């Protein structure tokens, strides 16, 4: 019961602490292309996230489960995923591994979306056996392993021991039988962390940066002795993508989650090297406050906005955005320079040989 209560508190506080103000994506802009030589009707949204071929770069990222009241939320999210062809991840399944009574809050996703791409989800404290059970529970196509050190430290009942994470990730990847995705939950990833995850053989990394749901703020809302000084902890999603680009790792694909508000933000993430963009908080707010029809219309709007940006920039498919010049300014540029990331290089992509 305590775990189910915590799951519902996470939903409540995630909605209450949502920040619709400007974020780091506003530090990025595109150089216009007056001669794109392309038709809106010929743009394609399909993207490769090997071994997956996604019909859209938008991914419904991990949100909830583990409580009876979360079942309806996951059911609606699964319908959106099914109707719009989006990949979807469930929230952490540790609750269901410990209490079979809440399995339905996750299993509903596969029942509503029997043929879609669905990802299981566990924390890096999970064992190989738990990972296999999580995958089997929803017949998952892949497994997300989430990293949430600061959230755990601020959580009243959170973990305090983070030893052995990388070794467990490696063991799970070798044994689980489906692709493994390592995902930060909103504090971003440094070059060193990304390289360490890649060294464990993981080829899909969700850099999960600051800018979306702030789990430090969520946990502070729940804690009798909050630590608000940690609510700005971490790297933004654009900063994390710049960190990943500095790694230059062959065969590693990126998901950008954190603060994506619309199709133009998605285009910016794709231009910085992401193959897909995760959306969580925005959809959580919609499925809890809007009609299903409004949720479906919102996804259509995101796709339209992304295609408008692609057309204006002369990008026929999402991968083409990686050659488009991007202006990086403000705090993002300042922090990038401190890390040696040279934002000027992204602004001059059109000066490189075609």
């Amino acid at each position: 019961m305590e775990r189910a209560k915590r799951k519902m508190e996470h939903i409540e506080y995630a909605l209450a602490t949502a920040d619709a103000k400007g974020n780091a994506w506003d530090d990025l802009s595109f150089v216009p292309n007056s001669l794109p030589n392309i038709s809106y009707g010929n743009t394609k949204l399909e993207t490769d996230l090997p071994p997956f071929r996604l019909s859209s770069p938008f991914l419904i990222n991990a949100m909830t489960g583990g409580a009876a009241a979360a079942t309806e939320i996951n059911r609606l999210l699964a319908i959106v995923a099914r109707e719009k062809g989006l990949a979807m991840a469930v929230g952490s399944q540790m609750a269901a591994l410990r209490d079979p009574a809440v399995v339905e809050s996750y299993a509903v996703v596969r029942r509503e979306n029997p043929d879609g791409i669905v990802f299981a989800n566990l924390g890096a404290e999970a064992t190989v056996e738990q990972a296999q059970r999580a995958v089997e529970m929803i017949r998952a196509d892949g497994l997300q392993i989430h990293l949430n050190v600061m959230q755990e430290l601020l959580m009243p009942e959170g973990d305090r021991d983070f030893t052995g994470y990388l070794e467990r990730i490696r063991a799970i990847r070798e044994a689980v039988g489906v692709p493994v995705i390592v995902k930060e939950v909103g504090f971003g990833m440094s070059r060193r962390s990304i390289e360490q995850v890649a060294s464990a053989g993981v080829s899909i990394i969700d850099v999960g940066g600051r800018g979306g749901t702030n789990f430090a703020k969520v946990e502070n809302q729940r804690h009798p002795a909050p630590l608000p000084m940690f609510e700005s902890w971490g790297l933004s999603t654009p900063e994390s993508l710049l960190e990943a680009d500095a790694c230059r790792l062959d065969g590693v694909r990126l998901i950008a989650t954190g603060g994506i508000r619309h199709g133009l933000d998605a285009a910016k993430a794709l231009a910085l090297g992401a193959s897909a963009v995760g959306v969580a908080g925005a959809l959580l707010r919609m499925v809890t406050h809007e009609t299903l029809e409004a949720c479906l219309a919102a996804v259509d709007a995101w796709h339209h906005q992304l295609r408008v940006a692609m057309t204006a920039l002369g990008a026929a498919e999402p991968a083409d955005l990686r050659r488009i010049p991007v202006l990086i300014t403000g705090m993002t540029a300042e922090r990038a320079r401190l890390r040696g990331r040279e934002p000027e290089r992204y602004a001059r992509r059109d000066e490189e040989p075609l």
Side-chain angles (χ1 to χ4, degrees), residues 5-327:
K5 179 175 180 289
R6 185 176 79 200
K7 293 291 184 181
M8 296 314 298
E9 285 178 345
H10 282 167
I11 294 173
E12 175 188 348
Y13 290 126
L15 292 170
T17 58
D19 186 359
K21 298 177 183 177
N23 63 23
W25 294 113
D26 295 324
D27 286 342
L28 276 62
S29 59
F30 288 110
V31 175
N33 182 352
S34 299
L35 296 167
N37 195 34
I38 195 174
S39 167
Y40 174 99
N42 292 334
T43 55
K44 307 294 184 185
L45 294 181
E46 291 86 356
T47 186
D48 286 316
L49 193 69
F52 306 107
R53 176 71 171 171
L54 307 183
S55 61
S56 164
F58 285 97
L59 180 155
I60 300 177
N61 225 332
M63 277 182 255
T64 192
T71 304
E72 179 63 9
I73 293 174
N74 273 342
R75 187 185 76 83
L76 292 170
L77 291 171
I79 293 172
V80 173
R82 182 190 71 210
E83 294 301 308
K84 296 304 172 183
L86 308 184
M88 175 181 172
V90 300
S92 175
Q93 292 164 263
M94 191 62 75
L97 296 180
R98 294 173 177 168
D99 180 8
V102 297
V103 166
E104 174 60 15
S105 66
Y106 303 97
V108 66
V109 171
R110 180 54 82 188
R111 188 168 64 252
E112 290 290 351
N113 191 11
D115 302 316
I117 297 174
V118 176
F119 300 136
N121 183 298
L122 284 175
E125 77 280 5
T127 66
V128 168
E129 186 268 341
Q130 287 172 328
Q132 291 170 330
R133 287 170 58 198
V135 169
E136 292 165 2
M137 186 187 302
I138 59 172
R139 291 184 286 115
D141 302 285
L143 171 66
Q144 282 188 346
I145 299 177
H146 65 259
L147 305 175
N148 63 334
V149 172
M150 182 53 69
Q151 181 186 9
E152 293 288 345
L153 288 170
L154 297 180
M155 192 185 301
E157 64 281 74
D159 292 336
R160 300 294 183 265
D161 183 358
F162 307 102
T163 56
Y165 269 21
L166 194 61
E167 291 74 15
R168 282 194 290 275
I169 290 170
R170 181 181 289 108
I172 290 171
R173 184 200 62 79
E174 292 173 351
V176 78
V178 296
V180 167
I181 303 164
V182 168
K183 173 191 184 301
E184 243 294 344
V185 305
F187 301 99
M189 295 185 75
S190 69
R191 174 178 180 170
R192 179 175 176 78
S193 295
I194 292 164
E195 289 175 338
Q196 287 178 301
V197 169
S199 75
V202 174
S203 60
I204 306 176
I205 300 175
D206 186 336
V207 297
R210 195 182 67 246
T213 302
N214 187 330
F215 280 103
K217 187 178 291 187
V218 168
E219 299 304 341
N220 276 332
Q221 294 273 355
R222 301 179 58 243
H223 206 294
L227 300 176
M229 69 288 296
F230 290 106
E231 291 178 4
S232 59
W233 186 267
L235 296 173
S236 70
T237 313
E239 290 167 353
S240 299
L241 289 172
L242 296 176
E243 292 282 313
D245 191 36
C247 300
R248 302 197 179 281
L249 295 168
D250 291 336
V252 173
R253 296 299 180 102
L254 303 173
I255 301 172
T257 302
I260 299 292
R261 300 160 297 183
H262 42 61
L264 181 55
D265 284 346
K268 294 173 182 179
L270 296 165
L272 287 190
S275 295
V277 292
V279 180
L283 274 172
L284 178 61
R285 288 188 289 278
M286 280 190 281
V287 298
T288 53
H289 296 304
E290 305 287 344
T291 64
L292 177 59
E293 290 70 23
C295 297
L296 297 173
V299 176
D300 287 339
W302 294 342
H303 284 157
H304 171 62
Q305 293 155 9
L306 176 56
R307 293 180 72 187
V308 166
M310 290 169 57
T311 305
L313 294 167
E317 58 185 57
D320 292 341
L321 288 166
R322 296 176 197 166
R323 59 177 172 77
I324 301 297
V326 183
L327 303 177

